[in-house]
Amino acid sequence: MDSHGAARTSRTARTEEQYKQDLDKIAKYRELEDSIRAQAQANNYDSALFNLTSKLLRLNPEYYTIWNIRRRCLISGLLSGPSDGSSPSKASQNTSPNGTTNQSSDSSSHLSSDPTPPDRDSPTAGKSGTIADSKAEHDEDGDANVLRSELAFIIPLLLQFPKCYWIWKYRRWLLEEATTRLSATAARGIWEAELALASKMLTKDRRNFHAWGYRRYVVTALESPSLNGKSMVEDEFAYTTEKVHGDLSNFSAWHNRSQLISRLLDERGADDAARKAFLDEELALVGEALNVGPEDQSLWYYHQYLMSQIVNFAGRPTIVPALTVAERAAYVKREIDQIKDLLEDYDDIKWIYEALLEYTIALKGLAEHGGKGIQIEDPIKWLAKVRSLDPMRAGRWDDVEKQLRANSQSAS
C-alpha cells in the first residue's frame, strides 16, 4: 500500500545475527539514555550533555524529553543572556525540563551537520564550540550563529521524519528565540529561510499537513510587526494556485486556499461585483477539475465550501454577502445542472449523488426563504442512489431520510 505516493518498505523475518545486532543497538541506546538522564538530574547542562542529546535524537527524534533537555543546554550556556525584549519569567519558563514551548525555524542556506552550534566566542562561524560556564551579555551575532546551527542540525531529521511533531515544535521554539533575541532584520532573514524550507518540504510531499500548518505559522510571523512584516495573502493565494494546478488531489492546498479567500477579498477592497466575479472564477476552476476527476474527494470539499458561501448566508459572513435569495438559488440550480452532466460519463461515483442530494436540499431551503418559482426535484431520488453506493453509512442515510420526511410533513 502506498502513502502519498511513497511505497511502504516490506518487512522480512530477521536472522539470528540480525536479532543479536538489534539487542546490541538497544543496549547502547539504553546506556545513552541513562547517561543523559543522569547528567540532567545533576543539572550538568554542558557541552557533553548537549552532544549526547544530538546522538540520541538522531536515533529517536520522537523522544520529546530529550528535546527539552537540549533546550536547557542552549539556555544554560550556548545562547547569551536574555535580550532587552525577553523577560526573566519567559527564560525561566523555557528552562523547565518538561517545557513544551512551541516555535520553529530553519535556515536552509546553512546545512552544516555539526551537532554542536558554534561557540559565540569563536572567531570562525560554523566550527564546533562548547557551552560556556556562564552566560555572557546579550550577543546577537553569537546567538544568530547558534540558532542557525541548530536549525541546520534538524534538517536531516526532518527529511527522515517529516511528520514528527517534536521536531516541528523544537523548530518553532528556535524561531521564537530568534524573534526575541535578534534584531527584526536578522530575525526576518531566519524566518524567510524557514519559509523556503517549508516550500521544499511541500515539494517533497505535497500533502504533508505538518508542513502546510507550519507554512501558515511561518507566514503569520513574517506578516507580524515584530518582523517588519506586511500582508502576504496575495503571494500565498498564488502559491495555492500553483499547487492545485500541479496536483488536483492536493486537499491541503485547497483547504489553505479556502482559508485565504475572505481576507484576500477584504484586502483587495473588492466590491459586490468583484466578489461575484471571483466566486464565478473559483466555481469554474473547481468545475473544470471535477470534469477531470469527479472521484476526487478533495475537489468536492472545496466545491462544498464555495457552495456554503452561497447557501449559508443568514447570520454569518460570506464572500458574496450582497447576493439576493433569487441569485443564490440561481447559482445552486446552475451547479446542480452542471453536476448532473457528470452522470453521462460517471454514474457510479458516490460524491456526485451526495452533492446532488445536499444541494437539492439547500435549494429547498432557499425556496422557503423567498426564492419563489424555483423548480425542485425530490431529494429522495438522490438519496436512494447514495444509499446504494454507500451502504457502510446506512445509518446516516436513514437519519437524512427521516429528516426529509419530517420537513415534508411540516411543510404540508
Side-chain angles (χ1 to χ4, degrees), residues 7-209:
R8 297 181 183 273
T9 56
S10 59
R11 293 186 177 182
T12 57
R14 293 194 298 271
T15 64
E16 184 67 24
E17 180 63 27
Q18 289 173 327
Y19 183 71
K20 291 180 180 179
Q21 291 176 357
D22 289 341
L23 290 178
D24 184 57
K25 290 179 181 179
I26 292 172
K28 291 180 178 179
Y29 179 91
R30 293 298 186 192
E31 181 180 355
L32 179 59
E33 179 188 24
D34 291 342
S35 297
I36 292 175
R37 287 188 172 275
Q39 290 203 46
Q41 189 173 6
N43 286 323
N44 293 328
Y45 293 99
D46 55 13
S47 60
L49 176 57
F50 183 84
N51 291 328
L52 289 176
T53 66
S54 299
K55 294 179 180 179
L56 195 146
L57 289 172
R58 287 195 178 101
L59 297 173
N60 180 15
E62 296 280 0
Y63 203 156
Y64 65 89
T65 300
I66 307 303
W67 288 111
N68 291 332
I69 291 173
R70 191 175 183 89
R71 285 188 182 97
R72 294 200 67 178
C73 288
L74 289 175
I75 294 171
S76 298
L78 273 171
L79 291 172
S80 66
S83 65
D84 294 338
S86 62
S87 63
S89 60
K90 180 175 180 180
S92 176
Q93 179 183 359
N94 287 339
T95 61
S96 171
N98 295 316
T100 56
T101 314
N102 301 340
Q103 270 86 21
S104 157
S105 161
D106 164 68
S107 175
S108 58
S109 60
H110 295 75
L111 301 182
S112 168
S113 60
D114 190 352
T116 308
D119 185 347
R120 75 171 76 89
D121 296 324
S122 172
T124 305
K127 292 185 177 180
S128 62
T130 58
I131 292 184
D133 294 333
S134 60
K135 292 182 181 178
E137 293 298 321
H138 179 60
D139 176 4
E140 182 174 320
D141 290 340
D143 286 348
N145 288 336
V146 169
L147 294 170
R148 289 193 183 97
S149 180
E150 275 296 271
L151 292 167
F153 163 74
I154 299 174
I155 291 177
L157 299 180
L158 271 180
L159 293 175
Q160 188 175 1
F161 306 96
K163 297 181 181 180
C164 174
Y165 283 97
W166 310 111
I167 299 176
W168 292 107
K169 286 178 179 291
Y170 185 70
R171 291 192 74 82
R172 290 188 176 205
W173 178 77
L174 291 171
L175 280 179
E176 188 65 19
E177 287 296 302
T179 302
T180 300
R181 294 172 176 274
L182 309 181
S183 67
T185 300
R188 185 173 184 84
I190 290 178
W191 282 88
E192 287 176 342
E194 198 69 5
L195 183 61
L197 174 69
S199 297
K200 289 182 179 179
M201 296 294 291
L202 291 173
T203 299
K204 180 179 173 62
D205 183 355
R206 295 184 296 270
R207 291 178 287 179
N208 183 343
F209 68 90

Side-chain angles (χ1 to χ4, degrees), residues 258-405:
S258 70
Q259 301 301 297
L260 294 168
I261 288 177
S262 293
R263 183 178 159 204
L264 178 76
L265 293 173
D266 288 343
E267 292 190 7
R268 286 179 178 179
D271 58 16
D272 294 336
R275 288 172 176 272
K276 187 173 181 296
F278 181 90
L279 176 63
D280 291 338
E281 291 173 1
E282 290 300 295
L283 285 171
L285 172 65
V286 73
E288 291 176 4
L290 287 171
N291 285 328
V292 175
E295 73 287 346
D296 194 327
Q297 185 179 4
S298 62
L299 300 178
W300 288 109
Y301 278 172
Y302 187 68
H303 189 269
Q304 187 180 54
Y305 159 75
L306 294 175
M307 295 298 286
S308 73
Q309 299 298 303
I310 299 169
V311 175
N312 302 326
F313 62 94
R316 59 179 292 243
T318 70
I319 64 176
V320 281
L323 290 181
T324 66
V325 174
E327 289 174 324
R328 295 176 189 278
Y331 265 107
V332 177
K333 184 67 168 62
R334 185 189 71 185
E335 292 302 309
I336 289 176
D337 291 340
Q338 291 180 354
I339 293 171
K340 284 182 181 178
D341 291 341
L342 295 175
L343 296 176
E344 296 179 5
D345 299 313
Y346 310 95
D347 61 353
D348 60 349
I349 296 177
K350 182 197 76 165
W351 302 111
I352 298 176
Y353 294 99
E354 191 169 335
L356 289 171
L357 171 63
E358 180 180 351
Y359 300 156
T360 301
I361 294 173
L363 192 59
K364 289 186 67 174
L366 289 171
E368 294 171 0
H369 283 82
K372 299 180 179 179
I374 303 174
Q375 294 183 348
I376 306 171
E377 296 178 275
D378 187 352
I380 294 293
K381 167 186 174 182
W382 306 120
L383 178 60
K385 190 64 177 179
V386 171
R387 191 192 297 275
S388 67
L389 292 172
D390 190 15
M392 294 295 291
R393 295 174 178 80
R396 175 187 176 187
W397 307 127
D398 289 342
D399 290 341
V400 172
E401 183 174 3
K402 290 177 183 178
Q403 186 63 46
L404 287 175
R405 297 196 183 282

Side-chain angles (χ1 to χ4, degrees), residues 219 223 230-238 259-261 263-265 267:
V219 168
E223 291 178 322
K230 61 181 181 179
S231 175
M232 298 174 63
V233 68
E234 290 283 357
D235 291 340
E236 287 303 292
F237 189 76
Q259 301 301 297
L260 294 168
I261 288 177
R263 183 178 159 204
L264 178 76
L265 293 173
E267 292 190 7

